[in-house]
Amino acid sequence: MTYIGPGAIVCSTAQLVGDITIGARTVVHPGARIVATSGPVIIGEDNIVEEGVEIVNDAGEEAVMIIGNSNIFEVGSESHSLKIGNRNILEAKSFLGTKTFLSYGCVVGAGCKVTTAEILPEMCAVTGGDCDRRVMDQEPGEQKEQRDLLAKVLPAHHKIM
């Protein structure tokens, strides 16, 4: 069962499997994959899920995956995390494991793989070949303009659910 909130844009070529809730004004690009095999996936409002992204709840034991508001999942990123707060960014081809939780304003850099059992502190950036960590002095920017543009462009070029 899938619920798509008001104003959300979900391209018909996105693969949605299982019990999935997509919040208002969230944008899901073509070729994205959201899979709820172990339990429901609940995605909040104002998120952007780009092409080739995989969001997979495969944690077992009827686990619920909760993704907050205003997060960005860039091209080819993959998340198995059961808890993602608000205003986080998973950059291109990054990977987030089941037991790694993002709090607020975190950035997982391009190509970084984080699989440790931990809660990343607010505004933590994981970057570079060694996935070094540091706390940023400002939070990631608001993406309202990008969401608004996608809400206009995607329906003009893709079939929407």
Side-chain angles (χ1 to χ4, degrees):
M1 178 174 105
T2 299
Y3 170 78
I4 299 173
I9 304 292
V10 180
C11 292
S12 64
T13 56
Q15 182 183 9
L16 306 178
V17 177
D19 185 2
I20 299 168
T21 299
I22 297 174
R25 298 172 307 281
T26 288
V27 176
V28 180
H29 283 250
R33 187 170 173 253
I34 303 171
V35 180
T37 55
S38 292
V41 174
I42 301 169
I43 300 174
E45 300 177 351
D46 299 314
N47 293 286
I48 298 173
V49 180
E50 295 183 353
E51 296 89 353
V53 166
E54 291 196 17
I55 297 173
V56 181
N57 181 355
D58 56 1
E61 302 176 12
E62 295 296 318
V64 177
M65 177 183 281
I66 299 174
I67 297 171
N69 303 320
S70 301
N71 296 291
I72 301 173
F73 297 82
E74 292 184 357
V75 174
S77 64
E78 185 172 344
S79 177
H80 296 257
S81 175
L82 292 177
K83 178 87 170 115
I84 295 178
N86 300 324
R87 292 192 73 171
N88 298 289
I89 299 174
L90 272 71
E91 291 186 349
K93 300 195 178 206
S94 61
F95 180 93
L96 200 57
T98 303
K99 296 184 188 249
T100 306
F101 301 163
L102 301 184
S103 57
Y104 175 87
C106 297
V107 176
V108 179
C112 286
K113 184 174 184 176
V114 185
T115 59
T116 50
E118 66 177 308
I119 299 171
L120 292 181
E122 289 188 6
M123 296 175 32
C124 179
V126 180
T127 58
D130 293 330
C131 296
D132 295 323
R133 294 155 196 241
R134 66 178 172 82
V135 174
M136 300 178 293
D137 53 6
Q138 67 183 41
E139 63 188 54
E142 171 62 39
Q143 298 297 322
K144 183 180 183 324
E145 290 178 7
Q146 182 181 1
R147 272 192 315 279
D148 290 347
L149 176 64
L150 290 169
K152 292 177 186 174
V153 172
L154 286 175
H157 299 284
H158 297 278
K159 185 177 176 185
I160 304 301
M161 288 187 189

